Amino acid sequence: MKSVIYYEPDLDIQEVLKLGVSDIILSTTFFSRFGKLSRKQLNEALALLNDVEINVIFEWDLLLTNEDFKRCCLEFESLDLDRVDFFRALDPGVFSYLVSRNHKVHLLLDSGPFHNLQAIQSFLELGEGLVKRIVLSIELDQEELSVICDELDVEIEYLGYGQILLFYTPRSLVKPLYDAESTDNWLEVTANSEESPHKGFPVIENIHGTFMFNPKDHYVLEHVSSLDSLGVSHIKLDNRFFKNSLLASLLCEPEQAKNDLPRKTIRGFFHKNKSDALFKKLKNHRILRRDKNYIGQVIEVEKGECVGIYLRNTLEHAKDMNLTLITPEGKEKSVVVNDVRDANGSLFKSGKYGDIIFIPHVGGVSVKTNVYYDG
Amino acid sequence: MSNFTPELLAPAGSLDKLIIAVLYGANAVYLGGQKYGLRQAAENFTDQELEEGVSFAHANGAKVFVVLNSFFHDKDFDSLNIFLKKLDDYGVDAVIVSDPGVIKYISENSQLEIHLSTQASCLNVEAAKLWKKLGVTRVVLGRETSIKDAALIKKEAGLEVEMFIHGSMCMAYSGHCVISNYTQGRDSNRGGCAHSCRFEYSFDDKDLESKKSYFMSSKDLEGIRLLQDFVDFEIDSLKVEGRMKSHLYAGTISKVYREALDYYDENGDFHSDNMKHWESELRKITHRAYTQASLVEPASDDSIYDEREHEDSLYTSIGTIRDVNKDAGFLLVEVKSFFNTGDTLEVLPFKGEPFEIVASNITSVSGKELTKTKPGTLVKIPYSPFATRWNLLRKRNLQ
Ligand code: SF4
């Protein structure tokens, strides 16, 4: 398994090479959400890496409105990036721009919403052979990773250790709280939600917006051999958020290194992603209608008098009807109805969507009961 | 004066809301089926309701767009083909999609027109061109886009553009908030958002003063004052958020924006005393504080809604008129909020000024006299010659 880390000015490149790191990412203040390299530091890094046998990756992971996009392109075109081997993009516009300039691209899907094979294949087709690596979403579980890796013919990268980005906005949300006390372009705070037990969310605000992270970091380094067998070719360590001195132990003794980390860690969705399992509970399925033989829903119950049914279907013969009524609690009642009236009390013969009909009172039936026609 | 008038696209959280939105003037509605959308907790449309919705809308000159804007995992594609076939058969006018995999699947398996959902956060010309290559004919732009940028995207990418003009907003770039995924185990990009951005957060870092704030909560968008810009820049469609909102919301929003756009059609501008009236009507529906957000310039901190989640409203939604019987002299009202005998209610007609009626006498369906009503019931109140079926009723709140 090859490893990918970020370049930092205090990084000992020779040590990094000894650790077997294959790729190094340049993350700048202007093009990266959490980049700290100035233009001068970028040039120094490029010069330093000129004769080093390592893949150099330029990160451009911003989402950009049109104005910002144009500004970024101008800046990009003014850089001397000959030493860069690959460029990584999150915004489909940036992706397209890089492809149109014939750059070799890494597509960033790690913190974005695209999770399926067909989506990735669409980008590969649009990439005209220039997409060399996909940085997969950390919301994919092992099973999904395996399917995707099997099908793709490009390098696959996955986050081994790093912060989990939960929220990305271009707006300044924290500085206003401090009445712009801080003139820094980089503000870090910890947010605690009133919704228990969610505490300790790291928040960063910088020139690109406000970012909130999960209190626990993503850590799957002890599963590198599984990842390898699934087909992941590269594992990333986001050393912008931990001390570089931890790199050696993280890469060589991942089980043990876990004890020295600045914050608690989780495997996230790596074993199983069940984040759609709760959806069934969000609705009362008993009040959901079945289409077959559906007439409508009870809209009024006047005890001892009548039940009002809101027709949500055509009713051709409102006479001698066998009806099944299913209450919101799931109770079923079957009734034969001979007397169907309108709101004025006149006999009702047939009706259409939107009409309201009244039948004699049926005990145990409440509003939202679904009504089905059995003949 | 340009001959161009944008489409007014309203939310339809249910078939009743669809009917109301169309009758009050929406040119098009968007809705979700039982699967594949981002409102898992919503009622949503069954297949039969969808078919009925399309035929009602088409009979009244309106279009229907169906949202399939969930971001799919591979297993979510199961049975998508069957659903697409139904949408094709029902004559749905377009589908609104976020995921490139789903776009690819739809273009390979159906004739449906594809609109890119705002969830895909399309923000620039290059991105729009890419989506066009995938088969998209319209982009619903990210909410961070200005009207000016939208016009440029339309021109340079050669696509129709749709923008939100009204309603609640995510503070995050759409599709780039996964708070619920990690805190609730519910995928926000598949409809499980728990609205964690509306909670209060405290900050007690050692180097900074302790603070409490709803720092991620956004005010609601209101773009009525920018209608002239939307027209001048030829924004194809103006979208209102709010499939989960009330019947009164669906009706009021459709009515107000329809009247404003019709005024433009007749007069060539929006310089009308009515502007104040339209704004005041929008204040009568439940809403958070309003902002123009990023429609003109990048949103600043004044778009933060730093308050506990509540929605202001000058009026209460009383219900819907479900039947009108001139001979027997009554209006049949489906009651949403209680009212008393003698209360003055306002009827919102499909066109023209709201007018007052007095509930001088309330009876149950069987004719029993009532002094007050209960939500979730049907009652009769005195007939009014100007009220029609599906008109909405509201009541001014005591200040
Ligand atoms: S929590 Fe808020 S910002 Fe995040 S997806 Fe939900 S509504 Fe949008």
Side-chain angles (χ1 to χ4, degrees):
Chain A
M1 173 80 61
K2 292 177 177 166
S3 31
V4 184
I5 63 165
Y6 281 87
Y7 173 85
E8 304 243 298
D10 65 345
L11 206 61
D12 182 335
I13 294 294
Q14 293 313 317
E15 280 304 310
V16 164
L17 289 175
K18 274 188 218 153
L19 290 171
V21 172
S22 61
D23 298 38
I24 197 146
I25 307 170
L26 302 173
S27 166
T28 62
T29 48
F30 205 72
F31 292 90
S32 286
R33 294 179 291 191
F34 318 118
K36 285 192 172 166
L37 295 181
S38 64
R39 187 171 176 138
K40 183 165 166 268
Q41 286 171 314
L42 170 71
N43 289 334
E44 285 165 3
L46 289 166
L48 179 81
L49 295 167
N50 207 18
D51 300 320
V52 180
E53 266 200 48
I54 196 163
N55 285 324
V56 176
I57 303 168
F58 183 88
E59 183 179 70
W60 188 351
D61 66 352
L62 304 170
L63 293 176
L64 293 162
T65 58
N66 213 51
E67 281 296 305
D68 290 339
F69 188 84
K70 283 195 277 186
R71 252 197 306 276
C72 262
C73 290
L74 282 179
E75 177 75 12
F76 183 79
E77 278 153 24
S78 74
L79 296 173
D80 178 2
L81 296 171
D82 287 352
R83 172 63 186 92
V84 174
D85 299 292
F86 304 101
F87 295 82
R88 37 184 64 184
L90 171 72
D91 189 310
V94 174
F95 169 82
S96 209
Y97 171 86
L98 292 170
V99 168
S100 71
R101 273 150 188 79
N102 238 358
H103 290 302
K104 289 185 198 140
V105 177
H106 290 174
L107 179 63
L108 291 172
L109 305 180
D110 50 347
S111 69
F114 305 132
H115 307 299
N116 61 71
L117 184 61
Q118 304 223 34
I120 298 170
Q121 282 168 336
S122 303
F123 279 112
L124 288 176
E125 280 164 28
L126 292 163
E128 299 164 11
L130 288 163
V131 183
K132 301 298 174 194
R133 189 181 303 171
I134 306 288
V135 184
L136 284 180
S137 164
I138 56 170
E139 286 178 52
L140 295 172
D141 62 31
Q142 299 180 70
E143 215 181 306
E144 294 173 307
L145 278 171
S146 156
V147 173
I148 290 176
C149 293
D150 270 359
E151 293 290 330
L152 297 182
D153 207 12
V154 289
E155 294 175 340
I156 303 289
E157 183 179 311
Y158 187 74
L159 179 67
Y161 174 41
Q163 288 200 313
I164 299 170
L165 180 61
L166 299 183
F167 176 92
Y168 171 20
T169 179
R171 298 166 195 206
S172 158
L173 303 183
V174 180
K175 267 194 188 169
L177 286 177
Y178 294 96
D179 301 324
E181 274 163 31
S182 160
T183 49
D184 284 356
N185 279 334
W186 189 282
L187 189 63
E188 283 185 35
V189 291
T190 308
N192 305 304
S193 169
E194 63 175 322
E195 178 203 31
S196 175
H198 303 301
K199 304 218 173 306
F201 296 93
V203 177
I204 292 177
E205 185 181 316
N206 61 27
I207 55 165
H208 301 302
T210 307
F211 307 87
M212 187 165 93
F213 299 88
N214 198 47
K216 295 179 183 171
D217 297 341
H218 191 255
Y219 191 90
V220 292
L221 289 178
E222 70 270 59
H223 301 289
V224 162
S225 55
S226 315
L227 285 163
D228 197 22
S229 57
L230 293 173
V232 172
S233 57
H234 291 74
I235 189 105
K236 182 170 95 174
L237 284 80
D238 194 345
N239 51 319
R240 292 173 300 181
F241 298 107
F242 62 84
K243 289 198 188 92
N244 289 322
S245 56
L246 282 171
L247 271 174
S249 57
L250 286 166
L251 286 168
C252 306
E253 297 163 319
E255 283 284 1
Q256 228 170 310
K258 234 173 146 179
N259 305 322
D260 304 324
L261 302 178
R263 280 203 312 263
K264 289 191 175 150
T265 61
I266 51 170
R267 284 186 306 249
F269 297 107
F270 179 63
H271 275 327
K272 190 81 198 149
N273 185 334
K274 290 193 261 182
S275 58
D276 59 344
L278 288 170
F279 292 169
K280 286 191 199 94
K281 294 189 186 153
L282 296 178
K283 280 191 243 200
N284 178 354
H285 286 260
R286 284 191 290 254
I287 62 171
L288 285 183
R289 71 184 237 188
R290 282 184 271 115
D291 277 344
K292 194 159 176 248
N293 298 338
Y294 186 70
I295 299 184
Q297 200 171 56
V298 172
I299 190 175
E300 159 76 356
V301 178
E302 200 179 337
K303 230 173 174 182
E305 297 287 348
C306 61
V307 168
I309 300 169
Y310 167 25
L311 288 187
R312 297 169 89 175
N313 219 331
T314 305
L315 183 63
E316 279 172 4
H317 304 290
K319 204 169 177 285
D320 298 333
M321 298 189 294
N322 290 310
L323 299 182
T324 299
L325 295 96
I326 304 180
T327 69
E329 296 76 35
K331 277 189 275 167
E332 249 184 73
K333 294 238 161 198
S334 292
V335 290
V336 180
V337 179
N338 300 310
D339 186 32
V340 183
R341 304 202 170 250
D342 67 14
N344 196 29
S346 310
L347 274 179
F348 192 93
K349 294 196 184 80
S350 63
K352 58 182 185 321
Y353 185 98
D355 289 345
I356 296 175
I357 60 169
F358 296 88
I359 62 171
H361 182 252
V362 181
V365 162
S366 58
V367 169
K368 287 205 170 358
T369 291
N370 281 324
V371 186
Y372 299 89
Y373 181 78
D374 294 331
Chain B
M1 170 185 163
S2 119
N3 289 325
F4 175 85
T5 313
E7 166 188 275
L8 175 60
L9 174 57
S14 66
L15 189 46
D16 285 0
K17 290 181 202 169
L18 178 149
I19 292 170
I20 287 167
V22 170
L23 292 176
Y24 276 99
N27 301 113
V29 289
Y30 62 100
L31 55 90
Q34 290 299 315
K35 278 167 90 180
Y36 314 117
L38 281 180
R39 296 284 180 273
Q40 288 291 341
E43 202 181 329
N44 292 322
F45 282 61
T46 66
D47 294 344
Q48 202 177 71
E49 284 175 315
L50 226 158
E51 189 175 10
E52 286 161 14
V54 173
S55 63
F56 180 87
H58 286 177
N60 287 276
K63 291 183 174 174
V64 175
F65 306 144
V66 175
V67 293
L68 295 162
N69 56 351
S70 160
F71 288 99
F72 282 37
H73 284 244
D74 284 315
K75 70 174 167 58
D76 300 325
F77 284 90
D78 289 352
S79 66
L80 176 60
N81 208 6
I82 301 169
F83 189 55
L84 293 178
K85 168 88 178 57
K86 286 180 185 162
L87 298 185
D88 249 339
D89 292 347
Y90 302 156
V92 159
D93 298 282
V95 285
I96 306 174
V97 187
S98 318
D99 186 309
V102 182
I103 293 172
K104 183 171 149 76
Y105 188 92
I106 294 174
S107 22
E108 285 168 4
N109 291 284
S110 83
Q111 299 297 318
L112 289 159
E113 189 172 313
I114 305 169
H115 296 175
L116 182 74
S117 164
T118 193
Q119 287 302 115
S121 274
C122 178
L123 305 163
N124 53 62
V125 171
E126 289 295 328
K129 284 182 182 165
L130 175 139
W131 292 110
K132 186 180 177 183
K133 275 191 205 162
L134 278 176
V136 160
T137 55
R138 177 190 287 190
V139 283
V140 188
L141 292 164
R143 288 178 174 92
E144 294 74 16
T145 315
S146 66
I147 300 174
K148 219 167 114 207
D149 271 356
L152 200 74
I153 291 170
K154 172 177 172 158
K155 188 166 158 243
E156 292 193 15
L159 281 166
E160 285 186 10
V161 289
E162 178 176 311
M163 297 186 83
F164 277 92
I165 189 168
H166 201 102
S168 304
M169 293 187 294
C170 267
M171 187 65 98
Y173 277 125
S174 289
H176 291 263
C177 171
V178 288
I179 304 175
S180 315
N181 304 39
Y182 287 88
T183 58
Q184 314 278 339
R186 278 162 46 178
D187 187 347
S188 54
N189 284 322
R190 283 187 285 177
C193 163
H195 299 280
S196 308
C197 61
R198 302 291 180 191
F199 296 141
E200 188 181 42
Y201 289 79
S202 61
F203 304 88
D204 44 19
D205 293 82
K206 57 180 185 315
D207 301 335
L208 291 163
E209 197 189 322
S210 290
K211 298 274 180 187
K212 279 188 169 181
S213 169
Y214 299 86
F215 77 121
M216 288 191 285
S217 183
S218 169
K219 289 179 183 169
D220 285 355
L221 178 67
E222 184 201 47
I224 188 131
R225 287 230 165 232
L226 299 171
L227 276 171
Q228 187 69 55
D229 290 351
F230 283 112
V231 170
D232 290 346
F233 285 105
E234 304 204 346
I235 304 306
D236 296 284
S237 179
L238 307 181
K239 183 174 207 160
V240 176
E241 179 278 343
R243 281 192 285 143
M244 306 280 274
K245 297 208 168 124
S246 68
H247 294 61
L248 184 63
Y249 176 91
T252 307
I253 287 282
S254 304
K255 178 177 167 68
V256 169
Y257 282 99
R258 173 80 281 131
E259 282 179 5
L261 291 167
D262 285 351
Y263 181 91
Y264 174 80
D265 273 344
E266 275 170 36
N267 301 283
D269 60 46
F270 294 96
H271 304 145
S272 158
D273 289 345
N274 287 336
M275 183 53 84
K276 280 207 181 91
H277 167 69
W278 295 326
E279 277 182 317
S280 85
E281 285 298 300
L282 293 176
R283 270 150 189 78
K284 290 176 185 170
I285 46 172
T286 312
H287 65 281
R288 301 180 188 92
Y290 283 134
T291 170
Q292 292 183 342
S294 303
L295 290 174
V296 178
E297 49 190 45
S300 61
D301 52 323
D302 66 1
S303 68
I304 301 173
Y305 184 60
D306 192 9
E307 283 179 46
R308 176 154 301 283
E309 179 67 347
H310 76 285
E311 295 181 321
D312 302 321
S313 167
L314 295 170
Y315 281 71
T316 299
S317 167
I318 289 300
T320 311
I321 296 176
R322 302 304 305 268
D323 202 1
V324 176
N325 195 316
K326 188 178 171 193
D327 297 339
F330 68 82
L331 305 175
L332 184 69
V333 176
E334 182 186 4
V335 181
K336 285 269 185 291
S337 308
F338 85 93
F339 61 96
N340 298 314
T341 309
D343 278 355
T344 300
L345 309 177
E346 270 189 23
V347 180
L348 205 63
F350 299 135
K351 276 184 186 234
E353 291 295 300
F355 58 91
E356 291 183 345
I357 54 172
V358 179
S360 53
N361 167 271
I362 309 175
T363 62
S364 71
V365 173
S366 69
K368 285 187 196 118
E369 294 275 336
L370 302 170
T371 51
K372 64 177 179 187
T373 62
K374 277 196 283 183
T377 58
L378 288 173
V379 297
K380 294 175 180 175
I381 60 171
Y383 171 76
S384 157
F386 306 110
T388 56
R389 197 180 190 190
W390 293 110
N391 275 171
L392 298 162
L393 290 170
R394 65 188 185 191
K395 193 177 108 181
R396 188 181 239 296
N397 294 330
L398 293 174
Q399 296 301 305

